[in-house]
Amino acid sequence: METRTIRDRFFAFFEQREHQRVPSSSLVPNDPTLLLTNAGMNQFKPYFLGEQSPPFDRATSAQKCFRTTDIDEVGKTSRHLTFFEMMGNFSFGDYYKADACPWAWELVTEGYGLDPEVLWVTVYETDDEAEEIWRDAVGVRPERIVRRGKADNFWSMGVAGPCGPCSEIYADLGESFGPAADNGPAGNEDRYLEIWNLVFMQNDCNAAIEPIAELPKKNIDTGLGLERTAMVLQKAASVYETDTLGGMVERAAELTGKKYGSDDATDKGLRVLGDHGRSLTFLIADGVLPSNEERGYVLRRVMRRAIRHARLLGRDEPVLPGLVEATAELMGDAYPEVVEKKEFILEVAAREEERFSETLHKGLSLLETELAKSLGSERRTLSGDVAFQLHDTWGFPIDLTQEIALEADVAVDTDRFDKLMEGQRERARSARTTIGYGGSDGTPGTEATYFTGFEHLEGNGKVLAILEAGEGVPVAEVGHEVDLILDQTVFYAEGGGQVGDRGTVGSPSGAAEIRDTRKTDGGVFLHRAKVTTGEIAVDDELELHVDQ
């Protein structure tokens, strides 16, 4: 059964049962407690908490989800993903366990045709009601119902908010995935794959994930993992061998000239490219841009991890644009935004790959030399000074350094790294107060800015340097206030009784508002800028517009 059919059949089943079909929300949640959307219920949180009245009592959706906690596992296993789709049905104080459990069983066994003999059910250790429903109303054999504790069968968002006991449906994948266990998924989770989680949303949890109150109403929140269900129905060896994700892996194999199934290292790299290609496409489509903070950092890490694995597989040419194209082809029918925004996504992806490729080459050379030294030492530890140099000089995220070191069985002295990072932040704080706009001569080695503003109010200029908090940075992202140093400018710098010019600067990759212009004693113009869209980078060619 194709992934598209699984998705459509889920919608049809619940729409026949009076559920309102609701579009997926953005991966950027309207929730300050979450970095990225990680579950189908995120957009319905105000309804569960009773903060808003829902416009419908029942809903169904296919939600785009991103789990940052699984980045390091992607490629290593048959089922871990960063981006995935979660099918769900929801009740806002309408029906509860007595309906949710039989419906789930009916869809899985009759709608999807799974043999009941391969299915297992888990319930929360104190949930007598759920066990009774599965046994007496649904007809699941008692020995196929397993009670599990809070770690396995009590669901929360991972932060304060709605939560509750849950019941899960597992599929037995067969002997090729390991030995059978008398207690099913409690005995071997490699063989028994969770496909559907039914959460009985009845509590409010604190940040420590402890129930502190009951919700105004008892609700249902379920999540059927689309990729996992496809793996079971298509009898695939992993989620990466299903039709949609398999298409991504196939494209990655074409781009790198490698064959999936050749060896473990090749398979890992192709899986990373398949997963991360989808992740970066959907993140950019939802407005996330690569940066060094929060969501932008997650995106940058995913992109750079993909680029590195492509290089390990022998692909020296750009790889990200090809993965974006594949995502649009394979998933554009269900998520038209990736097609509508494809050209923009391609531009962002290509720019990031171009920027990181030289960094990767030079940084890897240093890292490989230092790792070789570490392997010959007793401690087998990469010094924090080297990790900091990789970060500070070559833009290597500490996560990437740790991942590469781990592959070589070398630890990283993160305590020393953290100490050096804090020293850098302290210098930046001091620079902010002592340098401000001023400095005495701007950036060392920067010549006086060529000024054309007596004749023109519009022009072009190349970014020679970017100062943030007094220190040079290669890129400035949205929301950052920086000083731009250009080779030439139309902006008049404060002097002679006149205030500095204001206006805008921009290129296809980003724009900024110029709020003031001053100059150093050496004639270097400092354009005080706040980045408003995209990003501004060193070597960018900008269009300059003075506010007349």
Side-chain angles (χ1 to χ4, degrees), residues 482-496:
V482 296
D483 288 315
L484 300 178
I485 298 176
L486 311 175
D487 62 342
Q488 59 181 3
T489 186
V490 293
F491 288 87
Y492 184 85
E494 178 179 326

Side-chain angles (χ1 to χ4, degrees), residues 372-417:
K373 294 178 183 177
S374 301
L375 286 168
S377 67
E378 281 188 27
R379 292 184 60 199
R380 296 177 70 90
T381 300
L382 184 74
S383 78
D385 294 79
V386 171
F388 179 76
Q389 182 184 355
L390 285 163
H391 163 83
D392 195 45
T393 305
W394 302 115
F396 252 57
I398 184 62
D399 311 83
L400 182 56
T401 299
Q402 288 178 297
E403 180 179 338
I404 297 171
L406 182 62
E407 291 171 359
D409 195 26
V410 172
V412 178
D413 185 353
T414 53
D415 290 340
R416 173 62 177 166
F417 173 84

Side-chain angles (χ1 to χ4, degrees), residues 79-320:
R79 60 188 71 176
H80 280 95
L81 299 167
T82 53
F83 175 87
F84 59 95
E85 293 180 76
M86 188 66 79
M87 307 296 300
N89 60 287
F90 307 89
S91 166
F92 310 111
D94 185 13
Y95 63 87
Y96 202 48
K97 299 178 187 179
D99 290 312
C101 296
W103 282 344
W105 192 261
E106 180 183 350
L107 178 56
V108 168
T109 58
E110 298 180 23
Y112 293 143
L114 280 177
D115 183 349
E117 289 304 305
V118 305
L119 300 177
W120 289 70
V121 171
T122 64
V123 297
Y124 186 49
E125 57 190 357
T126 61
D127 197 343
D128 298 333
E129 180 187 10
E131 180 176 9
E132 182 180 334
I133 292 170
W134 285 117
R135 184 188 64 233
D136 299 337
V138 177
V140 179
R141 289 193 281 120
E143 62 269 24
R144 288 294 181 92
I145 304 172
V146 180
R147 293 200 183 214
R148 305 188 76 179
K150 186 175 180 181
D152 299 294
N153 277 77
F154 192 93
W155 190 91
S156 74
M157 297 170 60
V159 294
C163 59
C166 64
S167 186
E168 300 164 323
I169 298 177
Y170 282 77
D172 184 348
L173 299 176
E175 292 181 3
S176 62
F177 288 84
D182 291 338
N183 55 351
N188 184 354
E189 286 201 355
D190 288 331
R191 172 165 172 158
Y192 303 91
L193 179 68
E194 177 200 336
I195 58 173
W196 203 341
N197 188 7
L198 287 72
V199 181
F200 310 128
M201 197 76 81
Q202 60 191 40
N203 302 109
D204 192 1
C205 278
N206 60 19
I209 320 303
E210 295 294 335
I212 54 176
E214 291 190 356
L215 296 173
K217 296 178 180 179
K218 291 186 176 181
N219 313 283
I220 289 294
D221 154 34
T222 85
L224 178 89
L226 188 57
E227 290 83 0
R228 291 185 172 203
T229 303
M231 176 181 166
V232 174
L233 294 178
Q234 295 172 21
K235 295 181 170 56
S238 77
V239 292
Y240 294 96
E241 294 168 51
T242 57
D243 54 346
T244 302
L245 256 174
M248 292 297 300
V249 171
E250 184 178 339
R251 182 62 58 88
E254 292 172 0
L255 290 168
T256 59
K258 300 294 183 180
K259 183 178 179 180
Y260 188 75
S262 300
D263 55 72
D264 290 343
T266 298
D267 288 357
K268 176 184 175 182
L270 294 176
R271 286 172 174 173
V272 168
L273 293 176
D275 171 80
H276 288 8
R278 295 204 310 174
S279 296
L280 67 92
T281 300
F282 277 93
L283 284 170
I284 297 170
D286 280 346
V288 181
L289 293 173
S291 72
N292 292 326
E293 296 181 351
E294 298 184 335
R295 300 180 186 99
Y297 178 76
V298 174
L299 172 59
R300 177 161 281 167
R301 186 179 174 199
V302 164
M303 297 172 87
R304 293 184 170 186
R305 193 167 188 259
I307 294 164
R308 174 179 174 251
H309 278 279
R311 302 301 183 266
L312 288 175
L313 291 170
R315 171 82 179 189
D316 292 324
E317 296 78 20
V319 70
L320 299 189

